[in-house]
Structures are given as C-alpha cells and as structure tokens.
Amino acid sequence: MTESFDREKIIDCMFDPINSEILAELEDGKKECFILSQKFSMSESDLLVRLEYLIECKFLIKTVENDKCSISANTEKLGSLLEDSDAFDGAINGLEKMDSYLN
C-alpha cells in the first residue's frame, strides 16, 4: 500500500520560514518538544500544530517517553521527496520565495 500525501502541502510546510528553522534543528537528531518550543517562543501545542501535517505523513516522527514529547526527522523520506524532480523544482521555488522574504 502506498502512502498518499499532498506533495505541494508538504513542500509548503517544509519551507515555511519557522518550520524550516525547526527542521534545521532536527538535522542533528531528535529534539524534545519543550526545547524546540522554548527556542521558537511558542507553546508545545503550537509547535505540534505547526508540524502536524509533516508528522501525520511521517516526514517527522513524534515520540512520547516518560511524558516527554520528542520530534525527529525521517531523513530518508524527506530526502526521497526532494529527489523527485517536480518536488525539487517546488523546493527551489520555496527557497527563492523564502529568500525574497529575508531580503
């Protein structure tokens, strides 16, 4: 059975300015939701809402151990999404869009 998801929505979620910073934090591995929420000045529930679609589609993995929520990136799945040429074009467009906001 193949997973289905809205590729454009995933790209939009990934390249949202705040979400992309959160994803960058996950490059080094799993992070506690509390730490991420503190770093980005939002509640844990707001953080999870922002990342909800990425978690739902298993691009991010949410785990709860000892009442502590953690998030990690599914690097294989994220990488395979960007390898697809159409998605890669969308990613480039997303980066250009984000760059225009920053400049």
Side-chain angles (χ1 to χ4, degrees), residues 52-102:
E52 182 176 33
Y53 193 67
L54 293 170
I55 293 168
E56 178 184 321
C57 296
K58 298 182 179 24
F59 285 89
L60 295 178
I61 301 161
K62 176 182 132 183
T63 55
V64 179
E65 297 172 9
N66 301 322
D67 292 329
K68 291 183 181 180
C69 171
S70 297
I71 301 284
S72 59
N74 183 340
T75 53
E76 286 181 28
K77 191 164 184 173
L78 287 167
S80 69
L81 176 76
L82 295 177
E83 286 173 4
D84 180 2
S85 62
D86 291 339
F88 188 72
D89 290 341
I92 296 298
N93 290 339
L95 285 172
E96 289 171 349
K97 186 176 174 182
M98 190 167 47
D99 186 50
S100 70
Y101 288 129
L102 295 173

